[in-house]
Amino acid sequence: MSQFSEYKDLIQAGDLALAWISRDNIKPVRITPGATFNTRYGSFPHDDMIGKPFGSQIAVRTRGSNKFGFIHVLQPTPELWTLSLPHRTQIVYTPDSSYIMQRLQCSPHSRVIEAGTGSGSFTHAFARSAGFVFSYEFHEVRYGQAKQEFEDHGLLRDGNLAITHRDVCQDGFAIGKNDTTTFFENLQSDDGVSPAKIDANVVFLDLPAPWTAIPHLEEVISQDSKVSVCCFSPCIEQVDKTVEMLEKHGWVDIEMVEIQGKQYESRRQMVRHLDHALQRLRDVRERKQIGLERRKRMFNKLISDQEEPYEERPETPKTEYNPFGKGSRVKEGDTGFKWKEVSKVESEIKSHTSYLTFASKIVEKTRDETLVTKITDQERENAAKTPIPTKGENKKGKP
Ligand SMILES: C[S@@+](CC[C@H](N)C(=O)[O-])C[C@H]1O[C@@H](n2cnc3c(N)ncnc32)[C@H](O)[C@@H]1O
């Protein structure tokens, strides 16, 4: 199974690991005996990582100093991959992808259409949760790179992902035997020849012109369950055209949202008083005056031809802590000072801030009464078998 869908405890040779160097610097590493992972903080032998649990801190002594550089070696997850992947395109970040997946109710029952694949950021998240993902990319080089990456990450081997080289706006989503696709290489349609049964109930379109792909969805979406779609577009004009096309093709519950993912950092800030500001102004003025007088004396000595016009600069007495900048460092929260709790918004937001247009559709609106009766009977039977907890027992029937 892919490392993205199954957790393991220990780092082994051949594993993909993500080296956490700093919050903004996470690098993928293929663990290879004898190899070294070089960073500006030091060179980390892969052999030091092998056999350690994922999440371990690996330290090396920095050359020529007594200090240590360290990294953390992490288990790959779709979220960390999004932060470390090689960018081939704009990507969908986790604040957006997590919201989209829950709005589309993505689950192991979902058959997902994703176009385009781009850098494969969202594909990793879909592949972990969905029953099956059909991803499409029309850029040949990008298709090849994504295919290779999915193969290296074991996603194709997991058997719930296929990538197809296709212009979906022009040629739609149906996949046949003669198409450039991993579908027939890794999986089989029933007879290995007939077109893939797509039957999608989740659709995600991250394309420059999603409205041109919408009419093609008719032939590949599920006919007997609710289908949900999300179009990811950076401009409101694109949203406008998408909404128009969705309405024209019978999609309902159309709603547009935008994720404004912000991270708030909580910290303490020293309470500063007006007295401090006044004292600081007095200090500055006083030092300026002393400096001026010193320079004046030196100048007079110079023009009177005195030897040694240079005067030693007087040692500035170390002042008390100056809350406006200079002075001795005070640790945040030092009990000798007054502090207030503040929150600061993280300046860099890892979110694409596109508009997300959601809609849904139920093609076959008649109910299969026999199936409904069968399911409700089964549910009733299950409920009857489950003992109702008496007072003083929790739900698991334990006192
Ligand atoms: C913004 S990127 C998608 C990024 C992706 N969602 C991710 O998270 O990495 C859009 C991709 O759609 C592809 N694309 C554009 N038009 C397309 C089309 N008509 N059919 C298939 N792919 C298309 C582009 O080549 C590009 O790689």
Side-chain angles (χ1 to χ4, degrees), residues 167-224:
D167 181 340
V168 293
C169 298
Q170 206 175 299
D171 304 319
F173 300 89
I175 305 172
K177 181 73 184 154
N178 296 324
D179 288 325
T180 312
T181 176
T182 61
F183 186 81
F184 293 97
E185 290 166 24
N186 294 273
L187 316 142
Q188 293 295 314
S189 61
D190 291 341
D191 54 10
V193 184
S194 13
K197 189 166 165 280
I198 294 186
D199 224 6
N201 50 12
V202 167
V203 180
F204 176 69
L205 302 179
D206 184 359
L207 300 166
W211 57 92
T212 53
I214 289 167
H216 297 294
L217 288 173
E218 307 292 314
E219 56 173 338
V220 286
I221 56 172
S222 169
Q223 300 297 300
D224 55 8

Side-chain angles (χ1 to χ4, degrees), residues 29-92:
V29 187
R30 181 67 66 184
I31 304 294
T32 315
T36 305
F37 175 59
N38 296 310
T39 73
R40 55 192 282 224
Y41 305 106
S43 298
F44 299 85
H46 289 202
D47 291 340
D48 286 2
M49 304 172 196
I50 295 171
K52 299 248 167 62
F54 272 106
S56 295
Q57 187 188 68
I58 309 288
V60 289
R61 198 182 284 276
T62 315
R63 199 186 298 172
S65 98
N66 224 4
K67 291 189 180 145
F68 283 90
F70 62 84
I71 55 169
H72 285 88
V73 186
L74 306 179
Q75 164 92 35
T77 63
E79 291 74 22
L80 288 173
W81 180 246
T82 292
L83 296 175
S84 59
L85 57 78
H87 280 232
R88 300 182 283 269
T89 59
Q90 281 273 28
I91 63 163
V92 179

Side-chain angles (χ1 to χ4, degrees), residues 15 23 62 65 77 106 136 175 187 190 211 215 218 221 226 240 250 283 299 305 309 330 336 338 348 363 387 390:
D15 280 349
R23 213 158 58 136
T62 315
S65 98
T77 63
C106 190
Y136 300 82
I175 305 172
L187 316 142
D190 291 341
W211 57 92
E218 307 292 314
I221 56 172
K226 183 181 168 189
D240 203 25
D283 279 357
F299 179 71
D305 263 352
V330 172
K338 219 172 151 194
E348 206 183 304
V363 179
T390 55

Side-chain angles (χ1 to χ4, degrees), residues 145-184:
Q145 288 167 325
K147 182 183 161 195
Q148 186 61 51
E149 204 168 79
F150 297 158
E151 218 156 73
D152 293 347
H153 293 179
L155 300 183
L156 296 177
R157 211 173 43 240
D158 274 357
N160 72 333
L161 169 67
I163 177 168
T164 303
H165 180 222
R166 167 74 56 82
D167 181 340
V168 293
C169 298
Q170 206 175 299
D171 304 319
F173 300 89
I175 305 172
K177 181 73 184 154
N178 296 324
D179 288 325
T180 312
T181 176
T182 61
F183 186 81
F184 293 97

